[in-house]
Amino acid sequence: MALSSTSTAERRGIPGAQFVEDVETYLTQSGLDVNSAMSFLQERLQQYKLVELKLLAQQRDLQAKIPDIEKCLDVVATLQAKNGTGEALISDFEVSEGIYSKAKIEGAESVCLWLGANVMLEYSCDEATDLLNKNLDNAKASLEVLIADLQFLRDQVTITQVTIPRVYNWDVHQRRMQQTAGAAKDT
């Protein structure tokens, strides 16, 4: 059998790994010797590991961001609920890390949201709710794509980790065959 192209597709810039069923055919078609093939596979494995670290960091960031957005949505909903009642909302808020203060909020018609990069904008409560819901949906969709990318990447790592010993074992087998053939000629 020749090469199996089970997972040679690319996903979002992550190159697919190729499962090698027949090492000799793989080496012939790729134009590599055993050492070059092993070096290539080891380098590809390291690249996969680096990409995995990057994707895991992005996953952690998104998993931390989603509860923050949900918390902001709850706060805006609470403000909207208290707004028409004439009742003040007493809340603790963080001034600085570990330092809190009490606030009395009455008739809040708008809220200020941090957008990042030291930018804060004021929105009406309805606009803030819409924006936060949109951001929450985007974050959840990004997390799903990221999880799929990680699964694809793990599959590529597994294929590469299986291929490396196959190439090595094939090389060992070839050397033993050559030694056996050389010993048979000597006798």
Side-chain angles (χ1 to χ4, degrees), residues 26-28 30-40 167 170-171:
Y26 168 73
L27 294 174
T28 303
S30 64
L32 299 172
D33 62 10
V34 172
N35 291 333
S36 298
M38 291 292 286
S39 294
F40 170 77
V167 171
W170 178 85
D171 184 44

Side-chain angles (χ1 to χ4, degrees), residues 60-78:
R60 279 190 307 274
D61 291 346
L62 279 173
Q63 286 174 331
K65 185 179 187 180
I66 289 172
D68 287 344
I69 295 171
E70 290 170 339
K71 184 177 167 184
C72 288
L73 276 167
D74 289 343
V75 169
V76 172
T78 302

Side-chain angles (χ1 to χ4, degrees), residues 76-90 105-108:
V76 172
T78 302
L79 285 173
Q80 282 180 308
K82 291 281 187 174
N83 194 16
T85 65
E87 183 181 338
L89 175 66
I90 309 288
I105 304 168
E106 297 178 286

Side-chain angles (χ1 to χ4, degrees), residues 8-175:
T8 57
E10 184 176 299
R11 178 179 170 91
R12 294 183 11 110
I14 303 168
Q18 189 174 45
F19 180 75
V20 177
E21 288 185 36
D22 183 355
V23 176
E24 187 171 1
T25 304
Y26 168 73
L27 294 174
T28 303
Q29 288 181 353
S30 64
L32 299 172
D33 62 10
V34 172
N35 291 333
S36 298
M38 291 292 286
S39 294
F40 170 77
L41 291 169
Q42 290 288 352
E43 182 179 322
R44 179 60 57 92
L45 186 59
Q46 290 304 314
Q47 291 170 346
Y48 286 147
K49 295 291 187 176
L50 288 173
V51 171
E52 183 179 29
L53 289 174
K54 178 184 167 194
L55 292 179
L56 286 171
Q58 290 175 358
Q59 182 183 24
R60 279 190 307 274
D61 291 346
L62 279 173
Q63 286 174 331
K65 185 179 187 180
I66 289 172
D68 287 344
I69 295 171
E70 290 170 339
K71 184 177 167 184
C72 288
L73 276 167
D74 289 343
V75 169
V76 172
T78 302
L79 285 173
Q80 282 180 308
K82 291 281 187 174
N83 194 16
T85 65
E87 183 181 338
L89 175 66
I90 309 288
S91 177
D92 290 329
F93 67 96
E94 191 171 12
V95 177
S96 169
E97 188 174 330
I99 300 173
Y100 292 87
S101 180
K102 285 204 181 295
K104 182 178 181 182
I105 304 168
E106 297 178 286
E109 298 289 329
S110 63
V111 294
C112 293
L113 298 177
W114 283 107
L115 300 180
N118 293 327
V119 175
M120 178 185 273
L121 288 178
E122 184 175 0
Y123 291 95
S124 71
C125 289
D126 291 334
E127 289 174 332
T129 301
D130 291 343
L131 178 66
L132 289 169
N133 278 323
K134 180 181 170 188
N135 289 351
L136 182 62
D137 292 342
N138 288 342
K140 286 181 177 178
S142 294
L143 185 60
E144 286 179 22
V145 169
L146 200 55
I147 289 170
D149 288 348
L150 279 166
Q151 184 57 50
F152 175 79
L153 187 61
R154 287 183 182 121
D155 290 345
Q156 304 322 297
V157 167
T158 301
I159 290 168
T160 305
Q161 287 174 333
V162 167
T163 301
I164 289 171
R166 288 178 63 85
V167 171
Y168 177 79
N169 290 340
W170 178 85
D171 184 44
V172 169
H173 178 71
Q174 293 300 313
R175 289 177 194 221

